[in-house]
Amino acid sequence: MKKAIKLELAEARHMARAALKKAEEIGVKETVCVVDEGGYPLVLERMDGGRITGPQIAWNKAFTASGHKRSTHLFTRAPDGPALPGNEAFGIQLSFEGRFAAFVGGYPIVVNGEVVGGIGLSGGNGEQDTQCGVAGLQALGELLQAQGYDVTVQADIKK
């Protein structure tokens, strides 16, 4: 048997608040979704004035990052991104009834080397979504550090 680390609602809310605070600081209307290890939302929030498409896109990004254990933009990073034409996973974005997101804005939540969920952002450009996602990861890292947990805080994550 193996003991598992589980992301809890309070931690997901903490991440979402940090991501939305960063969005306010940089002046972008974001939607943030934090999912558990199964890709199901714990928190899904759209800022006032955010795009109506944001919630589904943010969820798709978080789902993909959690389920495939890598930052979503790594699927299409040249030259060897697996979802690029001619590479082994070309067309993967059609998987899971179109829920698979192969572009910037989704990050796995890695605690002590284990993927425990994902965070997805939608509303800004790639750089803005990344800033907000990393802010959420950073907030979780700061929250859990005193409890002895190590959170991976970076944009390019592949487990």
Side-chain angles (χ1 to χ4, degrees):
M1 291 296 244
K2 179 180 179 182
K3 290 185 178 183
I5 300 169
K6 295 283 188 181
L7 187 64
E8 295 184 334
L9 179 59
E11 296 152 350
R13 285 180 174 157
H14 186 75
M15 293 181 74
R17 280 193 300 271
L20 294 176
K21 180 179 178 190
K22 176 55 87 172
E24 287 178 10
E25 288 172 8
I26 63 176
V28 62
K29 307 278 187 205
E30 288 278 8
T31 297
V32 60
C33 182
V34 179
V35 301
D36 64 16
E37 73 282 0
Y40 292 96
L42 294 168
V43 175
L44 177 62
E45 292 193 32
R46 177 172 48 115
M47 294 175 73
D48 292 338
R51 296 180 187 132
I52 61 168
T53 55
Q56 187 65 57
I57 294 169
W59 182 9
N60 290 354
K61 290 177 180 183
F63 168 86
T64 302
S66 178
H68 221 71
K69 301 181 181 188
R70 72 169 66 185
S71 300
T72 54
H73 65 276
L74 297 179
F75 286 98
T76 54
R77 178 178 280 167
D80 58 355
L84 291 172
N87 290 346
E88 64 186 16
F90 179 65
I92 196 169
Q93 66 274 17
L94 303 174
S95 299
F96 296 97
E97 300 172 349
R99 290 197 54 218
F100 203 97
F103 52 98
V104 69
Y107 311 91
I109 301 168
V110 182
V111 179
N112 290 358
E114 299 285 331
V115 177
V116 299
I119 183 169
L121 288 297
S122 179
N125 61 33
E127 181 180 325
Q128 293 164 328
D129 287 356
T130 298
Q131 288 180 47
C132 295
V134 171
L137 294 170
Q138 178 69 43
L140 182 64
E142 292 168 359
L143 180 70
L144 297 181
Q145 184 176 18
Q147 299 173 39
Y149 292 103
D150 178 55
V151 176
T152 302
V153 179
Q154 61 189 53
D156 297 343
I157 302 171
K158 181 179 176 186
K159 288 300 297 165

